[in-house]
Amino acid sequence: MEKVKIVIAGPRGRMGKEAVYLTGRTDHFELVGVLDHKHEGKRLSELEDFNNPAYDVPMYTDIEKCLQEVKPDVLIDLTTPEFGMFHAKTALQYGVRPVVGTTGFTNENLKELEALCEEMDRGCIIAPNFALGAVLMMKFSKLAAKYFDDVEILELHHDRKLDAPSGTAVKTAELIAEVRKPKKQGHPEEKETIEGARGADFDGMRIHSIRLPGLIAHQQVMFGAEGETLTLKHDSYNRTSFMSGVRFAVDEVLKANVLIYGLENIME
Ligand code: NAP
């Protein structure tokens, strides 16, 4: 089996580092380079965390130079929304398929990437959550929303997260909105005595974002009806929880020629 050549953007980050290790333990993956805005010309294996021959690959600050020299099949991006978009666009322009875990992409970003995938006839996967359990939680939430109109989403993350609400919470709300009868929840005359007390409003349902050190990534979707509640809950306890989804996405993106936003669209 031919190996999948992979470039990782953001290899020193918390997610990026796990993705590097994933390539090291996956037989059919081969790391061929990394994009790191602080290290040009070094080898990744020179860095303390990557002291292993499997990671003896060049580090680049310039994405075009990187793609031209190491010619990957897939670019995995785990950086920031601004750079993630730039990396995904540039990769597609070079015929390289992006797998993006970076969150915070706007609808305009998604539309632009969708058009670029079509133009270049290449797939791109954007997965706000790579944890397969979290994807199932989203799918189950959509099923439950057919029967429960009242729902509140509570997402909990570590305090270094830049975007709120989380990509997973927004995606969950979007999936619920596809089947839920539109409804403004709570008392019609409810007033916030402190701004933000009721959380963000998405189509009348509320999303609450909690940020605390010690947390990784957690979400509860609470449905309420007469005399009962239903809570769907998912917890990622460490960042390796995301890696089975990264491996799945890399394998799937090779077969794709359109933009896929969310692993739920390709998980049966
Ligand atoms: P992090 O630890 O801050 O890592 C981000 C890394 O990107 C840092 O090492 C940063 O380097 C690097 N970086 C920034 N700009 C860059 C550029 N232009 N080129 C190359 N590298 C660059 O963050 P994280 O926790 O790993 O999260 C990264 C992204 O993944 C975030 O958007 C987060 O929300 C998302 N995430 C997704 C999932 C999922 O399942 N999809 C799960 C967890 C997190 P410096 O620190 O040196 O600036």
Side-chain angles (χ1 to χ4, degrees):
M1 186 180 186
E2 201 143 302
K3 291 199 176 198
V4 185
K5 292 186 189 165
I6 296 173
V7 160
I8 295 175
R12 285 177 297 104
R14 286 159 293 185
M15 284 289 284
K17 192 184 292 178
E18 291 300 332
V20 170
Y21 298 155
L22 173 73
T23 63
R25 63 175 184 268
T26 306
D27 289 345
H28 68 289
F29 284 3
E30 181 186 0
L31 186 69
V32 291
V34 294
L35 264 173
D36 185 312
H37 62 147
K38 293 188 180 154
H39 294 273
E40 171 72 47
K42 274 195 176 168
R43 312 286 296 178
L44 182 63
S45 53
E46 288 173 41
L47 271 52
E48 201 184 318
D49 289 335
F50 306 103
N51 189 358
N52 177 323
Y55 312 134
D56 181 20
V57 297
M59 302 183 80
Y60 296 92
T61 52
D62 179 341
I63 182 169
E64 298 207 34
K65 186 175 169 203
C66 170
L67 300 179
Q68 283 163 11
E69 288 189 8
V70 298
K71 299 187 173 43
D73 303 304
V74 174
L75 172 110
I76 300 176
D77 186 89
L78 295 159
T79 59
T80 63
E82 187 194 356
F83 286 106
M85 181 60 191
F86 171 62
H87 291 156
K89 265 172 67 175
T90 314
L92 281 168
Q93 281 155 356
Y94 274 80
V96 174
R97 291 171 157 87
V99 166
V100 181
T102 304
T103 56
F105 278 44
T106 63
N107 284 338
E108 286 69 41
N109 291 154
L110 298 178
K111 278 192 196 124
E112 203 180 331
L113 290 174
E114 193 172 28
L116 199 53
C117 285
E118 197 173 318
E119 187 189 327
M120 300 303 297
D121 195 29
R122 287 287 186 280
C124 169
I125 295 183
I126 301 193
N129 200 321
F130 282 123
L132 299 181
V135 177
L136 290 173
M137 174 194 60
M138 289 189 249
K139 280 175 104 78
F140 298 155
S141 297
K142 182 173 176 180
L143 177 63
K146 276 190 196 166
Y147 305 96
F148 293 84
D149 306 332
D150 286 87
V151 52
E152 306 245 338
I153 300 172
L154 184 69
E155 58 96 343
L156 308 89
H157 283 82
H158 58 89
D159 62 346
R160 296 190 59 204
K161 185 168 177 58
L162 293 174
D163 51 320
S166 70
T168 303
V170 175
K171 186 71 201 176
T172 308
E174 285 170 1
L175 289 173
I176 289 174
E178 283 175 23
V179 295
R180 168 182 170 270
K181 283 187 229 101
K183 173 174 183 182
K184 187 175 181 312
Q185 291 177 195
H187 194 285
E189 286 162 34
E190 114 187 326
K191 277 196 183 65
E192 288 181 334
T193 52
I194 298 179
E195 199 190 323
R198 290 287 290 120
D201 186 337
F202 187 106
D203 211 20
M205 59 185 131
R206 298 290 173 161
I207 306 178
H208 309 270
S209 297
I210 290 172
R211 297 290 175 263
L212 282 174
L215 293 169
I216 301 281
H218 316 261
Q219 183 168 293
Q220 292 180 31
V221 186
M222 278 192 81
F223 295 92
E226 293 280 297
E228 62 176 330
T229 60
L230 167 69
T231 304
L232 300 169
K233 181 170 180 283
H234 176 262
D235 299 279
S236 279
Y237 296 110
N238 59 40
R239 286 178 179 80
T240 46
S241 67
F242 301 114
M243 293 304 131
S244 51
V246 174
R247 179 165 39 219
F248 175 67
V250 168
D251 289 335
E252 290 297 314
V253 81
L254 293 169
K255 302 178 222 159
N257 58 0
V258 292
L259 175 74
I260 296 163
Y261 175 54
L263 294 187
E264 62 284 358
N265 295 304
I266 44 174
M267 267 176 81
E268 285 310 316

